[in-house]
Structures are given as structure tokens and as C-alpha cells.
């Protein structure tokens, strides 16, 4: 059975003190929210160390929202996987649709990041998902298949055990338009079959999160679907009560 993982993608939100407060509120209730669910918080780079101090000794894990696939060098403005590993990061969100859209990240480039993060002993949360126009054209399966095959090219079955996938239909992110549980599960099933094709038995153990307007009032039915193994939460992760209500919905 894949592990259930619920991650909060704080995006470019919260001051340093607000991040510390939010992390401490999450830690306070994390234990009783839902045993057996792994919780991850992903603040902006500059707040990671402070948040790490707050979650120390708790079951809450630390995530980053991006990284550059080289250890060091002339890459102005970037942060490497080895730097993130050195400060205790466990998970790195990669290929988020906002990075694909605003920073023109391709499947091939994200593939390099996934290899880099795995090589440094962290777990990538690899985001895939179709645009509204792609869904309307009926090409969701082709888009997601290409993202999975190119993004995960060269990943061994052994490495696959440390990969997390987030299926995030782009039209559902931050819009309040959530995919129906059936729409989401259909794509999750497609992803599961692709992972098994790529990695055999190891593909059956990969956590596949849903992301896109997941909230306390819709989380229960999404998380009840056979192939939905958690969530990548944006807006609702900015309030500890909402985030923990989603966790309890599992
Ligand atoms: P949302 O964001 O929950 O605000 O839709 C999800 C995400 O972008 O990861």
C-alpha cells in the first residue's frame, strides 16, 4: 500500500514569523490529526531553517518548492539539492505547473532535477497535470503520459520507491474548481499503470497525491478514492486548521 502523504505547498506566501507560527500550529495538532498520514510543510527557501527548528522532534517533514540540478556554480538566483539536503530537507516539489508556466520548465529539465534530488537522498514530489484546453480537447491522458514518461526517464525501480507524484489538473489550482473524485481517480489510475510499466512492483508503492483546490469539505471524498494517496495543498495549507482538517478527512 502506498503511504498517505499530505503536503502543504505554501508557495510564495507568509513572512518569516508567520511561517514559524503556521509550522508550530501544524506541529501542535499533527499527532492527533490522523495517525499513519505523513505531513510535509514546504515554506519558501529563506524560511526553511527556521521552520526546521519548529518541527524538530515532531513527525512533520520538511519540504522545499524547487531546486536547481547542479551542486554549485554560476547559476545566479538558484539553490541546489545538496544545499537543501544539508539543511535537513526531506522532500522537494518539482515541476509544479506554476514553474512550468512562468519559468518555462520542460519535462526534460524537470527530469534532471528529479535525478539530482534522488541522488542527494531526498524525495521529489513530481507534479503533473493538464491545462483546461487540453482537458477540453480530450488529450489529458496523452499529456500526463508524456509528463510521466519524460519526467521519470532513467529512474530505476529502486529510486522509484522514493518518488511521490502529485496529479494537479492546472484548471483546478487556486481556482476553487476541484476535479470530481471520479475525474481525478481516472487519471490517478492511468498514472499508476504507467508507474507499474516503468518500475514493476515498485510502481505499486508510489504515493500519488491529488492537488487542486483540495479543501476540508471535499478532501474526504477525494481521499476515499482507490488511487488517491494524499494531497498537495496550496491555499488551504496556509491555515493550520484547514490543513489539519484535510489530514483528518483521511
Ligand atoms: P491549491 O494549490 O490547493 O491552492 O489549488 C495546489 C497546488 O498548487 O499545489
Amino acid at each position: 500500500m502506498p503511504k498517505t502523504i499530505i503536503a502543504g505547498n505554501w508557495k510564495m506566501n507568509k513572512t518569516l514569523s508567520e511561517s514559524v507560527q503556521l509550522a508550530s500550529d501544524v506541529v501542535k495538532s499533527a499527532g492527533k490529526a490522523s495517525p499513519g498520514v505523513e505531513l510535509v510543510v514546504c515554506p519558501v527557501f529563506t524560511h526553511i531553517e527556521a521552520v526546521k527548528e519548529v518541527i524538530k522532534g515532531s513527525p512533520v517533514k520538511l519540504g522545499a518548492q524547487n531546486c536547481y540540478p547542479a551542486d554549485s556554480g554560476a547559476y545566479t538566483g538558484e539553490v541546489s539539492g545538496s544545499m537543501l539536503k544539508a539543511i535537513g530537507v526531506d522532500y522537494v516539489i518539482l515541476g509544479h505547473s506554476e514553474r512550468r508556466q512562468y519559468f518555462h520548465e520542460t519535462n526534460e529539465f524537470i527530469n534532471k532535477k528529479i535525478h539530482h534530488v534522488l541522488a542527494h537522498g531526498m524525495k521529489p514530489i513530481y507534479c503533473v497535470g493538464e491545462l483546461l484546453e487540453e482537458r477540453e480537447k480530450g488529450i489529458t491522458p496523452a499529456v500526463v503520459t508524456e509528463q510521466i514518461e519524460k519526467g521519470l526517464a532513467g529512474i530505476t525501480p529502486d529510486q522509484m520507491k522514493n518518488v511521490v507524484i502529485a496529479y494537479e489538473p492546472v484548471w483546478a489550482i487556486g481556482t476553487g474548481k476541484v476535479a470530481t473524485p471520479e475525474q481525478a481517480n481516472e487519471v490517478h489510475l492511468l498514472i499508476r499503470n504507467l508507474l507499474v510499466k516503468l518500475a514493476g512492483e515498485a510502481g505499486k508503492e508510489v504515493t500519488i497525491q491529488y492537488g487542486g483546490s483540495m479543501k476540508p469539505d471535499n478532501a474526504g471524498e477525494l481521499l476515499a478514492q482507490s488511487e488517491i494517496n494524499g494531497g498537495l495543498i496550496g491555499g488551504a495549507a496556509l491555515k493550520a486548521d484547514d490543513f489539519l482538517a484535510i489530514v483528518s478527512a483521511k
Side-chain angles (χ1 to χ4, degrees), residues 9-239:
N9 174 11
W10 296 358
K11 307 193 180 181
M12 199 175 72
N13 291 298
K14 302 281 175 191
T15 63
L16 178 58
S17 61
E18 287 168 349
S19 297
V20 164
Q21 184 63 52
L22 177 55
S24 97
D25 290 344
V26 169
V27 165
K28 256 183 246 154
S29 311
K32 54 179 190 273
S34 194
V37 177
E38 180 141 300
L39 298 192
V40 186
V41 291
C42 308
V44 297
F45 285 136
T46 48
H47 304 167
I48 288 178
E49 281 214 84
V51 166
K52 179 189 152 190
E53 286 308 308
V54 175
I55 65 177
K56 209 188 229 165
S58 85
V60 179
K61 304 283 185 200
L62 193 58
Q65 300 174 19
N66 183 31
C67 80
Y68 191 82
D71 285 336
S72 62
Y75 303 102
T76 302
E78 294 294 317
V79 174
S80 75
S82 46
M83 292 165 181
L84 295 175
K85 178 67 182 176
I87 58 168
V89 167
D90 306 296
Y91 289 89
V92 185
I93 299 172
L94 294 175
H96 191 279
S97 65
E98 287 148 17
R99 296 218 53 93
R100 292 178 189 263
Q101 184 184 350
Y102 304 134
F103 305 99
H104 314 294
E105 292 194 7
T106 61
N107 291 323
E108 290 76 7
F109 184 48
I110 301 161
N111 176 252
K112 291 200 177 90
K113 296 187 181 204
I114 293 174
H115 280 280
H116 180 73
V117 159
L118 287 167
H120 286 288
M122 297 176 291
K123 297 176 179 164
I125 299 179
Y126 175 40
C127 304
V128 299
E130 80 286 0
L131 305 168
L132 180 59
E133 66 199 61
E134 293 168 336
R135 175 157 287 266
E136 285 170 348
K137 277 194 214 147
I139 58 169
T140 298
V143 170
V144 172
T145 299
E146 188 177 5
Q147 290 171 330
I148 291 287
E149 288 180 348
K150 292 192 172 163
L152 297 180
I155 302 296
T156 65
D158 225 34
Q159 289 176 312
M160 198 68 91
K161 292 179 192 147
N162 290 318
V163 171
V164 175
I165 305 290
Y167 168 57
E168 302 202 299
V170 180
W171 47 273
I173 296 177
T175 57
K177 274 190 224 154
V178 64
T180 65
E182 295 73 26
Q183 272 176 328
N185 204 49
E186 201 180 300
V187 183
H188 279 237
L189 195 58
L190 167 88
I191 295 170
R192 174 71 62 210
N193 291 333
L194 289 167
L195 295 173
V196 171
K197 204 169 100 190
L198 289 173
E201 284 299 305
K204 294 186 184 164
E205 298 302 318
V206 173
T207 298
I208 309 176
Q209 301 173 317
Y210 169 81
S213 298
M214 196 189 258
K215 310 272 182 228
D217 62 355
N218 59 30
E221 47 175 7
L222 286 162
L223 293 169
Q225 297 296 306
S226 60
E227 295 298 331
I228 300 185
N229 319 121
L232 182 57
I233 321 297
L238 298 176
K239 287 197 190 126

